[in-house]
Each structure stands twice: as C-alpha cells, then as structure tokens.
Amino acid sequence: MRIPFNDLATPHASIVEDVVAEVRALAGNSRFIGGPAVEAFEQDFAAYCRTTHAVGVANGTDAIELTLRALGIGGGDEVLVPANTFIATASAVAATGATPVFVDVDPVSLLVTPASLEAGVTERTAAVIPVHLYGHMVPPGDVLPFAAKHGLAVIEDSAQAHGANAPAPQSAQDGTPGEKVRAGSYGVAGTFSFYPGKNLGAWGDGGAVVTDDAQLASRIRSLANHGRSEGTDHYEHRYIGRNSRLDALQATVLRRKLADLDTATGQRRRVASVYTEALAAHGIPMVAPLPGVDSAWHLLVARVQGRESAREFVRRQLDEAGIGTGVHYPVPCHRQHAYATDQTVSLPAAEQAATEIVSLPFFPHLRDEEVAYVADHLAKAITAL
C-alpha cells in the first residue's frame, strides 16, 4: 500500500468542468484583475467567515503585512508571534519594519496562552498574532482579554483554519454560553492563505483579509492596489502601496471550492476521529484541538518522543512502508538564522515540539483502512526505537 502525504488531484477532479466553464466566461469578458469574479468571491467568503468585509490579496503573507500596515504598525513597534509557526507570520511583521517577538506555547496544544503572551509584552508591543496552528483555533478568550488589557490589536493568522470554530468569550456582549465564533472573525482582522495545499486552496497563490471594520478594509484594499483610493481617479494614490491583488481566475476557483468546503471539513473531522482512536489505541500522542473547538483539521500531527534522532528513524520506516510524512515545523522561528539575534532566548515548549512532531497522511477522502495502516506502521516504528 502506498499512501501519499496529501492528495490534491482527487478532490479537484470533480470540479474541473465547472471551473473550465467559468474560465471560458472569464476569457470572454476579459475581467482578469478584479471585477465581478473577485467581488463575488469576496462577498461569499466574508459571509462564510461571518464578517462584513473580505479583501482578496495576492497571498497569505501579504494579508498579514497589509493588515499591519493599514493599522499603522511599523518601525519601532513589536508584534507578538508564536515561535512554532511558518516563517511567513514573522516575515510579514518584519516587512513592515516592526519587530516580531517570539513567544512560547502550551506544551500540549502548541498554541499561545495568556501566560506565554504576557511573557513577551513590552511597552513597544502594538499587536498580537495568534496562529490557528494545524487548523486548531486559539480561542478568543485566550487572547482578547490580554489584548484589551494592553491595548493591542489582534490579527488572526487563519491560514490553516478555514471554517474552524471556537467558543465565544463568556463576557462577549453579543455572545451566549455555547455560541461559537468562526476563525478570522474575532480579531480586528483575520488573514487567510489560499495556497493550493490549504483546506481552501486556489490553483496558484492567493490570500484574503476579513474584517468588520469598513475603514480598515478600504485601506487594505488601497494598499494592495498601489495606494489608489476607491472612487477616485485611477492615477490618484493616497498611500504608498503596492501590487497585491487576487486575480479573477483564482477567485473563480476559490468560489467554486468554497461551496464544498463545509462538506470537505466534515470529512476531515471524520478522518481525524478515526486517527484519534487508532493512535490512542497504540498510546501515540497527537496534537489535538482544545476542548470546545471545532478544528478545521488542516494537518494531523503526532509526536514521536525518545532519543534525538527518533523522528528521523520513524519517518524512514514509514517511507519504506510507502507512507508519506511531513514536519511542520522543524525549526522554531526564533532559531531561524534570519531571526536568531539572541541565542540566549529559550522557548522550551516550542523547541521540544520541533524535535518530536510529525505530520501524517491526511486528506478528506483518506480511507479507514489507510489510517489503520499508518497507525500500525507508526506504532511498529516507535516500538523499534
């Protein structure tokens, strides 16, 4: 049996004809940048995220950077970022001239906590970026009270969490016990990537910002379009912006796939439940969402504990059994050469996790027998350590 780490071809096969028909229409009207296709997707995605506005941009990294810039965050400011995230979260902060300050995470959930955020805050802190890692949301109650206490903007990095939900804070004026909020909707803005491997992936690069703040949405849209102001002359530029626009082809693909996203997420959750039972039967720890969180399950991550080279041995054993794996992420951001300015900084939970985590094959149409095959071979490999 051969089981790839991911399979993007199968789910796309069923929508190709629909997309091709829409692309033909797009070719006929020649509205390749902006236009009705992008506007329709933005409206649908904002509604899906339960926000008022969505602004399509070129990629998820730009989504974060442009949001920070639109908020006036830049040189002299600091932004709190978890150490165990893809480097794009940090590089977006650095691109504004602000400084990413890396904080540790909970050793089990691998998400930021109020205590880890408090450890990183200074008088220069302007914002916090909770990362909904692997599709597991950081609950708003773990971020919003801290941010309010220190007067910080909250920008959700939801690149792995399309459609995830978490309990609303008990103190929310419009929230009631049991009510849940959608990823991207509780901060001043939520940022998304539509890289092809994401739960909602384009056929190229793409990203978006969602928000309930009309002025923020307007400024992000302007910054992403060379600083042009909406409703003014084409060559009037209010801000120093740049080119970061979601093109109509990607918007067309994304809108078609958005219609099936909840179904695919439901399938991911079912596969995750099968994995949870199978790994628990072998006593293998995995990274799970916090109680009450409906994860988007972007990745299925187990932990291989033991000697330093344990994970590499296990991955080789799985590869020999035809099982593809990945590691997200093997080097914490504060240990990356580009950001390791202070070698004395220690963030033990993130550092320990980086040596143990292994991402297992995971996609909506993974069969139960394939999950059992992966779990059995993982257990055999761990036993052989």
Side-chain angles (χ1 to χ4, degrees), residues 54-343:
V55 182
V57 296
N59 54 69
T61 312
D62 283 2
I64 299 173
E65 179 193 341
L66 291 168
T67 300
L68 289 167
R69 290 183 59 195
L71 290 169
I73 295 172
D77 293 323
E78 294 178 350
V79 178
L80 302 180
V81 176
N84 59 326
T85 183
F86 182 54
I87 201 69
T89 314
S91 61
V93 174
T96 69
T99 300
V101 174
F102 300 110
V103 300
D104 211 354
V105 291
D106 178 81
V108 177
S109 72
L110 304 188
L111 301 176
V112 294
T113 67
S116 69
L117 294 173
E118 285 285 357
V121 73
T122 73
E123 69 277 2
R124 293 186 296 277
T125 307
V128 54
I129 304 180
V131 176
H132 302 319
L133 194 67
Y134 311 143
H136 308 337
M137 272 184 75
V138 181
D142 286 358
V143 180
L144 295 182
F146 161 80
K149 173 184 174 182
H150 295 285
L152 309 179
V154 176
I155 302 163
E156 297 174 66
D157 184 340
S158 306
Q160 300 183 8
H162 313 70
N165 302 290
Q170 293 294 320
S171 60
Q173 292 181 356
D174 58 350
T176 58
E179 182 181 356
K180 294 190 175 181
V181 296
R182 183 61 58 89
S185 70
Y186 73 72
V188 66
T191 63
F192 290 85
S193 166
F194 302 129
Y195 183 77
K198 295 295 192 289
N199 292 23
L200 180 62
W203 288 2
D205 260 324
V209 181
V210 298
T211 183
D212 287 326
D213 187 327
Q215 290 186 331
L216 180 63
S218 178
R219 187 163 189 184
I220 292 170
R221 192 179 300 280
S222 174
L223 290 171
N225 190 24
H226 297 291
R228 292 189 179 102
S229 296
E230 296 179 87
T232 61
D233 184 86
H234 184 73
Y235 293 107
E236 181 179 332
H237 305 269
R238 183 181 297 271
Y239 308 112
I240 298 175
R242 57 188 175 80
N243 182 357
S244 180
R245 298 174 296 211
L246 178 67
D247 69 71
L249 173 60
Q250 302 309 331
T252 297
V253 173
L254 289 166
R255 190 175 186 227
R256 173 61 185 83
K257 293 182 70 176
L258 181 61
D260 298 333
L261 182 57
D262 281 346
T263 298
T265 301
Q267 293 170 333
R268 285 177 176 273
R269 288 171 179 159
R270 192 201 66 79
V271 174
S273 69
V274 177
Y275 256 121
T276 300
E277 184 176 343
L279 295 179
H282 291 293
I284 301 171
M286 59 177 282
V287 183
L290 292 168
V293 170
D294 303 319
S295 176
W297 286 103
H298 175 58
L299 295 170
L300 194 296
V301 179
R303 297 184 73 156
V304 176
Q305 298 165 329
R307 55 186 168 85
E308 185 175 349
S309 58
R311 181 177 60 199
E312 287 66 33
F313 172 82
V314 167
R315 293 189 72 199
R316 286 196 301 271
Q317 295 297 305
L318 294 180
D319 182 65
E320 290 176 6
I323 299 169
T325 61
V327 178
H328 301 83
Y329 302 95
V331 181
C333 291
H334 69 295
R335 295 298 190 211
Q336 294 284 355
H337 179 76
Y339 296 99
T341 55
D342 185 353
Q343 294 295 329

